[in-house]
Amino acid sequence: MSVKRAQSLIAGLRWHHLGFAFFWATTFAALTNSSEELAGGYEAYSLCKQATVVITLALTAYVLRKREHYTHAHAAMAGVLLAAGSLLFYLAFFFGQYSLAAVLAAAVLVGCSSGLMFVMWQSFYASEGASRTAIYIPISAAFSVALCLVVAALPAIWSVVCSVIVLPALATLCLCRSLDEVEPYDVLPCKGGRAAMLFRDMAKPVFCVCALGFIWRLVSSLSAMEGSGSFLLLMAGMGFAVLAVTLFELFSERGFDVLAFYQVLFPVITGVFLLPTLFGQQWMFVLPGFLMFGFEVVNLLLLITCAVYASRNELNSTVVYALCVGPTLASLLLGDLAGTVLNRSSFYDFTFVVDVLFMCVYGLSIVMFLVSFGRSRRKAATAYLVPGAESGRRRAKLSERPAGLGGAAFAEGRVADAFVAGDEHDGANRFDASVSAMQDSDISDARAPERSLEARLEALSIVDPLSQREQEVTELLLHGNTVPAIARKLFISENTVRGHTKNIYRKLDIHSKQELIDLLG
């Protein structure tokens, strides 16, 4: 994606598009500290909350598997749950009202809110198109880091006010306004052949993210670094991860994917693992920050991947999110559980920690082998820059925010391994060799994809072909968009849209929108 394109996308950014940061700042910064004497209670809170998030994702995906439709009522319910859970958290840990029941109730409320917020924001990102998704998610994460630092620096009473009232209210307001911009679309059921396709395309990237997440939480439990130092280290890792994803998205012409990035991270992370084993336990504090960086990079790419994958393949974004990100959240929970058990082991000492670190390196090596296996024979199928045209009923959704893809992981010779970073003129046509390969699949329960717009235009053998921008306008016209809507989606004036429309009609020798639909619809 070019800097010019990024600037045009950021120009269309509204403050409520970054509202996920308010939610994340509440759950990560404001609700992550408790008094030392109640550390065991906070451990129970954290584990229960993580388990509740996973369960909520699974239940939501099951209930909304046929049709996802989120309203202001859903957003308000998530906000109320977050505020109530935050209040119970502070009552339990900071205002002398501690009880295990209150801790577990707070965990369940915050966990349910988190699960609902996750899927509703993912629905918004899936509706935004590839270009905006690849920019909005990293910017939201960067804003989250800034908010976390601000909340952590506030006096205790103001931190409570922010966590119980201000941040949940802002998160709810932003979510409501963002949901108003979601354009519902019919989805195909994620079962049979399409479920198999999703597994083939996403299994390895999800496995990489899960492995890094598990080891990050396990090592963090063993590092014994607590308080503000640990928080700042994690914020530094998160900040550098956001910076890396944003820079690659802006300046990489070929894009990159989770699997390729994991291969780059592997020697760096395993090298850092050697520091405490060679130079002593005092170097243990380095590991959580590096692992946080590696995990967040691939996790951000996975979030982008899930949103765009659901949109491109006409799948339910909630189901795709639950199936791909749900295992990641479960791996974090398992890492915390394993760390808790190992910390309480009677054999716990630095030698024992070194043994665990070597086991982690061995586990990462196995993941590296599984990721690398078979990639060479799929090299041609995972090319980044490929000509062609989009296919499927959602081509208009892809072109309405001019394409530029950054992210990860369509695999096994059906969907390319990367979301492509493109510019204004050729970004929309780079993904399609992989998609056209998918058209030939033998998915028994999928409807036959319709011909791409480019193929239909070629069949007409027109003397003066439509430009890339004229094709984008044509797509949106065919899908019922008005002139103001097209202007807003393509960041151009209404007069420019009318000019493109006149050129389209002239080149196709037609005189009305209905004739255009009859000709190409």
Side-chain angles (χ1 to χ4, degrees), residues 413-426:
R414 286 178 174 257
V415 184
D417 276 291
F419 291 144
V420 181
D423 59 31
E424 182 174 359
H425 299 291
D426 59 4

Side-chain angles (χ1 to χ4, degrees), residues 193-201 309 313 315 414 438 443:
R194 283 190 170 265
M197 179 188 69
L198 176 63
F199 177 80
R200 284 191 296 269
D201 293 343
Y309 188 93
N313 293 281
L315 296 175
R414 286 178 174 257
M438 190 174 63
I443 301 174

